[in-house]
PDB file of all heavy atoms in Angstrom:
ATOM      1  N   LYS A 255     -14.390   3.190   8.656  1.00 97.00           N
ATOM      2  CA  LYS A 255     -15.403   3.856   7.830  1.00 97.00           C
ATOM      3  C   LYS A 255     -14.832   5.140   7.241  1.00 97.00           C
ATOM      4  O   LYS A 255     -14.258   5.957   7.948  1.00 97.00           O
ATOM      5  CB  LYS A 255     -16.624   4.168   8.707  1.00 97.00           C
ATOM      6  CG  LYS A 255     -17.692   5.026   8.060  1.00 97.00           C
ATOM      7  CD  LYS A 255     -18.788   5.325   9.077  1.00 97.00           C
ATOM      8  CE  LYS A 255     -19.852   6.241   8.499  1.00 97.00           C
ATOM      9  NZ  LYS A 255     -20.904   6.549   9.514  1.00 97.00           N
ATOM     10  N   GLY A 256     -14.973   5.306   5.922  1.00 97.00           N
ATOM     11  CA  GLY A 256     -14.469   6.506   5.262  1.00 97.00           C
ATOM     12  C   GLY A 256     -13.047   6.402   4.775  1.00 97.00           C
ATOM     13  O   GLY A 256     -12.513   7.360   4.208  1.00 97.00           O
ATOM     14  N   SER A 257     -12.419   5.250   4.955  1.00 97.00           N
ATOM     15  CA  SER A 257     -11.017   5.080   4.567  1.00 97.00           C
ATOM     16  C   SER A 257     -10.893   4.583   3.134  1.00 97.00           C
ATOM     17  O   SER A 257     -11.704   3.793   2.657  1.00 97.00           O
ATOM     18  CB  SER A 257     -10.321   4.100   5.509  1.00 97.00           C
ATOM     19  OG  SER A 257      -8.989   3.871   5.088  1.00 97.00           O
ATOM     20  N   LYS A 258      -9.835   5.038   2.464  1.00 97.00           N
ATOM     21  CA  LYS A 258      -9.501   4.524   1.139  1.00 97.00           C
ATOM     22  C   LYS A 258      -8.350   3.524   1.229  1.00 97.00           C
ATOM     23  O   LYS A 258      -7.943   2.944   0.233  1.00 97.00           O
ATOM     24  CB  LYS A 258      -9.108   5.693   0.218  1.00 97.00           C
ATOM     25  CG  LYS A 258      -9.054   5.344  -1.253  1.00 97.00           C
ATOM     26  CD  LYS A 258      -8.747   6.569  -2.114  1.00 97.00           C
ATOM     27  CE  LYS A 258      -8.650   6.154  -3.570  1.00 97.00           C
ATOM     28  NZ  LYS A 258      -8.357   7.301  -4.454  1.00 97.00           N
ATOM     29  N   VAL A 259      -7.842   3.323   2.432  1.00 96.00           N
ATOM     30  CA  VAL A 259      -6.747   2.384   2.663  1.00 96.00           C
ATOM     31  C   VAL A 259      -7.316   1.007   2.969  1.00 96.00           C
ATOM     32  O   VAL A 259      -8.167   0.862   3.845  1.00 96.00           O
ATOM     33  CB  VAL A 259      -5.848   2.843   3.830  1.00 96.00           C
ATOM     34  CG1 VAL A 259      -4.718   1.840   4.050  1.00 96.00           C
ATOM     35  CG2 VAL A 259      -5.278   4.227   3.550  1.00 96.00           C
ATOM     36  N   LYS A 260      -6.840   0.008   2.238  1.00 96.00           N
ATOM     37  CA  LYS A 260      -7.274  -1.381   2.455  1.00 96.00           C
ATOM     38  C   LYS A 260      -6.311  -2.033   3.448  1.00 96.00           C
ATOM     39  O   LYS A 260      -5.245  -2.507   3.100  1.00 96.00           O
ATOM     40  CB  LYS A 260      -7.271  -2.151   1.131  1.00 96.00           C
ATOM     41  CG  LYS A 260      -7.545  -3.658   1.252  1.00 96.00           C
ATOM     42  CD  LYS A 260      -8.939  -3.958   1.749  1.00 96.00           C
ATOM     43  CE  LYS A 260      -9.287  -5.437   1.589  1.00 96.00           C
ATOM     44  NZ  LYS A 260      -8.501  -6.317   2.485  1.00 96.00           N
ATOM     45  N   TYR A 261      -6.686  -1.958   4.737  1.00 96.00           N
ATOM     46  CA  TYR A 261      -5.934  -2.672   5.761  1.00 96.00           C
ATOM     47  C   TYR A 261      -6.422  -4.109   5.806  1.00 96.00           C
ATOM     48  O   TYR A 261      -7.573  -4.400   5.481  1.00 96.00           O
ATOM     49  CB  TYR A 261      -6.164  -2.054   7.147  1.00 96.00           C
ATOM     50  CG  TYR A 261      -5.768  -0.610   7.304  1.00 96.00           C
ATOM     51  CD1 TYR A 261      -6.709   0.402   7.174  1.00 96.00           C
ATOM     52  CD2 TYR A 261      -4.456  -0.257   7.615  1.00 96.00           C
ATOM     53  CE1 TYR A 261      -6.368   1.737   7.348  1.00 96.00           C
ATOM     54  CE2 TYR A 261      -4.106   1.081   7.790  1.00 96.00           C
ATOM     55  CZ  TYR A 261      -5.065   2.069   7.657  1.00 96.00           C
ATOM     56  OH  TYR A 261      -4.724   3.384   7.825  1.00 96.00           O
ATOM     57  N   GLU A 262      -5.554  -5.029   6.250  1.00 95.00           N
ATOM     58  CA  GLU A 262      -6.002  -6.399   6.461  1.00 95.00           C
ATOM     59  C   GLU A 262      -5.123  -7.089   7.494  1.00 95.00           C
ATOM     60  O   GLU A 262      -4.006  -6.644   7.774  1.00 95.00           O
ATOM     61  CB  GLU A 262      -6.011  -7.188   5.152  1.00 95.00           C
ATOM     62  CG  GLU A 262      -4.651  -7.469   4.565  1.00 95.00           C
ATOM     63  CD  GLU A 262      -4.750  -8.289   3.284  1.00 95.00           C
ATOM     64  OE1 GLU A 262      -5.797  -8.226   2.611  1.00 95.00           O
ATOM     65  OE2 GLU A 262      -3.779  -8.991   2.965  1.00 95.00           O
ATOM     66  N   LEU A 263      -5.652  -8.167   8.047  1.00 95.00           N
ATOM     67  CA  LEU A 263      -4.923  -8.942   9.045  1.00 95.00           C
ATOM     68  C   LEU A 263      -3.737  -9.645   8.396  1.00 95.00           C
ATOM     69  O   LEU A 263      -3.883 -10.297   7.359  1.00 95.00           O
ATOM     70  CB  LEU A 263      -5.857  -9.977   9.670  1.00 95.00           C
ATOM     71  CG  LEU A 263      -5.208 -10.977  10.639  1.00 95.00           C
ATOM     72  CD1 LEU A 263      -4.853 -10.292  11.948  1.00 95.00           C
ATOM     73  CD2 LEU A 263      -6.134 -12.161  10.885  1.00 95.00           C
ATOM     74  N   ASP A 264      -2.564  -9.502   8.992  1.00 94.00           N
ATOM     75  CA  ASP A 264      -1.412 -10.315   8.592  1.00 94.00           C
ATOM     76  C   ASP A 264      -1.497 -11.608   9.401  1.00 94.00           C
ATOM     77  O   ASP A 264      -1.325 -11.601  10.622  1.00 94.00           O
ATOM     78  CB  ASP A 264      -0.109  -9.582   8.883  1.00 94.00           C
ATOM     79  CG  ASP A 264       1.109 -10.394   8.468  1.00 94.00           C
ATOM     80  OD1 ASP A 264       1.304 -10.596   7.262  1.00 94.00           O
ATOM     81  OD2 ASP A 264       1.848 -10.854   9.369  1.00 94.00           O
ATOM     82  N   LYS A 265      -1.793 -12.709   8.740  1.00 92.00           N
ATOM     83  CA  LYS A 265      -2.092 -13.955   9.440  1.00 92.00           C
ATOM     84  C   LYS A 265      -0.909 -14.464  10.253  1.00 92.00           C
ATOM     85  O   LYS A 265      -1.087 -15.103  11.293  1.00 92.00           O
ATOM     86  CB  LYS A 265      -2.524 -15.021   8.439  1.00 92.00           C
ATOM     87  CG  LYS A 265      -3.815 -14.702   7.717  1.00 92.00           C
ATOM     88  CD  LYS A 265      -4.135 -15.787   6.700  1.00 92.00           C
ATOM     89  CE  LYS A 265      -5.339 -15.436   5.870  1.00 92.00           C
ATOM     90  NZ  LYS A 265      -5.605 -16.439   4.825  1.00 92.00           N
ATOM     91  N   LYS A 266       0.303 -14.192   9.798  1.00 90.00           N
ATOM     92  CA  LYS A 266       1.475 -14.715  10.483  1.00 90.00           C
ATOM     93  C   LYS A 266       1.734 -13.995  11.805  1.00 90.00           C
ATOM     94  O   LYS A 266       1.966 -14.630  12.832  1.00 90.00           O
ATOM     95  CB  LYS A 266       2.700 -14.609   9.579  1.00 90.00           C
ATOM     96  CG  LYS A 266       3.969 -15.186  10.194  1.00 90.00           C
ATOM     97  CD  LYS A 266       5.141 -15.119   9.220  1.00 90.00           C
ATOM     98  CE  LYS A 266       6.412 -15.699   9.833  1.00 90.00           C
ATOM     99  NZ  LYS A 266       7.562 -15.625   8.889  1.00 90.00           N
ATOM    100  N   THR A 267       1.667 -12.662  11.793  1.00 91.00           N
ATOM    101  CA  THR A 267       2.019 -11.883  12.990  1.00 91.00           C
ATOM    102  C   THR A 267       0.808 -11.496  13.833  1.00 91.00           C
ATOM    103  O   THR A 267       0.946 -11.195  15.018  1.00 91.00           O
ATOM    104  CB  THR A 267       2.756 -10.603  12.597  1.00 91.00           C
ATOM    105  OG1 THR A 267       1.865  -9.760  11.831  1.00 91.00           O
ATOM    106  CG2 THR A 267       4.000 -10.916  11.765  1.00 91.00           C
ATOM    107  N   GLY A 268      -0.376 -11.448  13.211  1.00 93.00           N
ATOM    108  CA  GLY A 268      -1.554 -10.966  13.922  1.00 93.00           C
ATOM    109  C   GLY A 268      -1.676  -9.456  13.909  1.00 93.00           C
ATOM    110  O   GLY A 268      -2.607  -8.900  14.503  1.00 93.00           O
ATOM    111  N   LEU A 269      -0.766  -8.773  13.220  1.00 94.00           N
ATOM    112  CA  LEU A 269      -0.828  -7.316  13.125  1.00 94.00           C
ATOM    113  C   LEU A 269      -1.718  -6.904  11.954  1.00 94.00           C
ATOM    114  O   LEU A 269      -1.983  -7.680  11.041  1.00 94.00           O
ATOM    115  CB  LEU A 269       0.575  -6.734  12.937  1.00 94.00           C
ATOM    116  CG  LEU A 269       1.574  -6.998  14.069  1.00 94.00           C
ATOM    117  CD1 LEU A 269       2.960  -6.470  13.696  1.00 94.00           C
ATOM    118  CD2 LEU A 269       1.104  -6.352  15.367  1.00 94.00           C
ATOM    119  N   ILE A 270      -2.183  -5.659  11.987  1.00 95.00           N
ATOM    120  CA  ILE A 270      -2.953  -5.095  10.888  1.00 95.00           C
ATOM    121  C   ILE A 270      -1.981  -4.397   9.949  1.00 95.00           C
ATOM    122  O   ILE A 270      -1.266  -3.489  10.357  1.00 95.00           O
ATOM    123  CB  ILE A 270      -4.017  -4.100  11.391  1.00 95.00           C
ATOM    124  CG1 ILE A 270      -4.956  -4.775  12.394  1.00 95.00           C
ATOM    125  CG2 ILE A 270      -4.790  -3.516  10.222  1.00 95.00           C
ATOM    126  CD1 ILE A 270      -5.788  -5.892  11.820  1.00 95.00           C
TER     127      ILE A 270
END
Side-chain angles (χ1 to χ4, degrees):
K255 172 184 177 181
S257 176
K258 194 176 178 180
V259 180
K260 173 65 168 68
Y261 300 96
E262 68 179 26
L263 174 73
D264 180 68
K265 296 178 186 176
K266 182 177 180 180
T267 64
L269 298 175
I270 303 296

